[in-house]
């Protein structure tokens, strides 16, 4: 994820207006958190939080406490600057999944498009372990990942296009919603399309007892803002999936 570190504030600015993040990924995780909530207070751990935008969406609700970490110091600096401007009680730290340590306990954990950037399948276990270890029994880890079953490469889907590299990785082409032009052509985003089995094995090795999968659908507000046609290919091809692991 070095390219994200280098882009820093530019990438954070893009995410704030990105239809996929704000109209598809974030609403799906928020809905699932509402479904898994057991008590008045919900303590949430965000594994690979990026610039903290989603943390602020979660923490704006007074019954949620959010702790988050990310390996990018630049992203954590951006997140902490936003927390300083608008204090919501979010606690941030710089750490990789295998380095993160805490004595705190959490009700649920989340991550949004962090797992597909794991360097290999072995690292998935470390990532899942970082999410699972501090969870209370019965807690959930809710994660948006690149769909293991996706196959519609080289087709524009919303403001994305995905292509395969020579070594089997997935290159993500981000398209500016306003101009229709691809952004960051010189700093390509490359992720891994892990299989369902690799994710489920990683979750089991990381301490989770059960894994389930759900499709992602845009929120009602996102459909109104961008039109059903914008989401048509996304609904049909399902480039992303919601992974839910229970401890």
């Amino acid at each position: 994820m070095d390219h994200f570190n280098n882009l820093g504030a530019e990438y954070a600015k893009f995410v704030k207006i990105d239809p996929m993040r704000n109209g598809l990924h974030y609403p799906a995780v928020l809905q699932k958190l509402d479904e898994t909530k057991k008590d008045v207070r919900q303590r949430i751990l965000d594994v690979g939080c990026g610039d903290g935008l989603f943390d602020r969406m979660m923490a704006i609700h007074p019954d949620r406490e959010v702790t988050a970490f990310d390996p990018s110091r630049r992203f954590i600096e951006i997140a902490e600057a936003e927390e300083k401007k608008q204090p919501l009680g979010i606690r941030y730290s710089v750490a990789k999944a295998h380095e993160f340590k805490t004595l705190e306990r959490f009700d649920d954990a989340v991550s949004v498009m962090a797992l597909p950037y794991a360097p290999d399948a072995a690292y998935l276990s470390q990532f899942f372990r970082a999410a699972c270890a501090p969870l209370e029994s019965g807690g959930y880890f809710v994660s948006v990942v690149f769909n293991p079953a996706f196959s519609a490469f080289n087709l524009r889907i919303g403001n994305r296009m995905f292509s395969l590299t020579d070594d089997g990785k997935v290159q993500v082409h981000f398209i500016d919603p306003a101009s229709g032009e691809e952004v960051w052509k010189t700093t390509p985003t490359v992720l891994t399309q892990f299989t369902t089995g690799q994710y489920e094995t990683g979750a089991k090795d990381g301490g989770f007892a059960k894994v389930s999968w759900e499709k992602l659908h845009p929120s009602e507000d996102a459909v109104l803002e961008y039109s059903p046609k914008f989401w048509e290919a996304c609904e049909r091809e399902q480039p992303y999936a919601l992974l839910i692991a229970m401890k």
Side-chain angles (χ1 to χ4, degrees):
M1 296 185 69
D2 289 343
H3 54 288
F4 287 145
N5 297 346
N6 297 331
L7 287 170
E10 184 182 348
Y11 179 73
K13 184 179 179 180
F14 175 82
V15 169
K16 284 184 179 180
I17 62 169
D18 179 28
M20 290 292 186
R21 281 284 196 269
N22 296 283
L24 188 72
H25 300 167
Y26 295 155
V29 178
L30 288 171
Q31 180 179 336
K32 188 56 61 175
L33 286 176
D34 286 340
E35 294 174 7
T36 62
K37 188 175 180 183
K38 302 176 184 66
D39 300 307
V40 174
R41 184 180 65 160
Q42 189 176 32
R43 301 162 298 175
I44 300 170
L45 174 66
D46 188 355
V47 185
C49 63
D51 72 317
L53 175 62
F54 188 48
D55 302 311
R56 296 189 288 279
M57 291 182 179
M58 293 187 289
I60 199 168
H61 297 279
D63 55 350
R64 288 187 181 133
E65 298 176 5
V66 179
T67 299
F69 72 89
D70 193 274
S72 168
R73 183 171 298 279
R74 179 59 183 138
F75 274 154
I76 293 300
E77 289 173 353
I78 294 171
E80 289 179 331
E82 290 297 322
E83 171 66 15
K84 188 174 181 179
K85 286 194 293 186
Q86 183 188 6
L88 293 171
I90 306 169
R91 292 168 296 176
Y92 292 104
S93 61
V94 178
K96 295 180 180 179
H98 67 282
E99 298 170 338
F100 181 72
K101 298 288 188 299
T102 181
L103 297 177
E104 291 186 68
R105 306 300 293 171
F106 298 93
D107 300 297
D108 296 297
V110 301
S111 76
V112 176
M113 284 304 293
L115 280 165
Y117 293 100
D120 50 46
Y123 192 81
L124 290 178
S125 299
Q126 298 177 338
F127 197 105
F128 279 108
R129 192 171 297 112
C132 184
L135 283 186
E136 299 284 6
S137 179
Y140 287 85
F141 175 44
V142 184
S143 179
V144 176
V145 301
F146 189 72
N147 190 349
F150 178 78
S151 60
F153 295 101
N154 302 312
L155 173 72
R156 178 165 174 176
I157 300 176
N159 67 323
R160 300 280 200 279
M161 188 174 74
F162 307 92
S163 61
L164 287 173
T165 65
D166 292 340
D167 59 353
K169 298 291 186 178
V170 177
Q171 183 170 335
V172 186
H173 307 268
F174 295 91
I175 301 168
D176 187 310
S179 68
E181 298 293 324
E182 184 180 351
V183 296
W184 311 317
K185 292 181 181 179
T186 59
T187 53
T189 300
V190 178
L191 51 82
T192 299
Q193 187 177 25
F194 291 108
T195 67
T196 300
Q198 286 173 321
Y199 277 123
E200 293 181 358
T201 297
K204 182 179 179 181
D205 290 345
F208 286 101
K210 181 181 178 181
V211 176
S212 60
W213 297 84
E214 293 184 10
K215 291 184 176 181
L216 288 180
H217 303 285
S219 67
E220 292 182 4
D221 288 344
V223 173
L224 289 173
E225 183 174 359
Y226 294 99
S227 82
K229 185 173 179 59
F230 176 89
W231 295 105
E232 191 176 84
C234 186
E235 288 271 39
R236 183 180 67 250
E237 306 297 346
Q238 291 289 315
Y240 302 101
L242 195 66
L243 183 159
I244 304 105
M246 186 184 74
K247 185 172 181 177

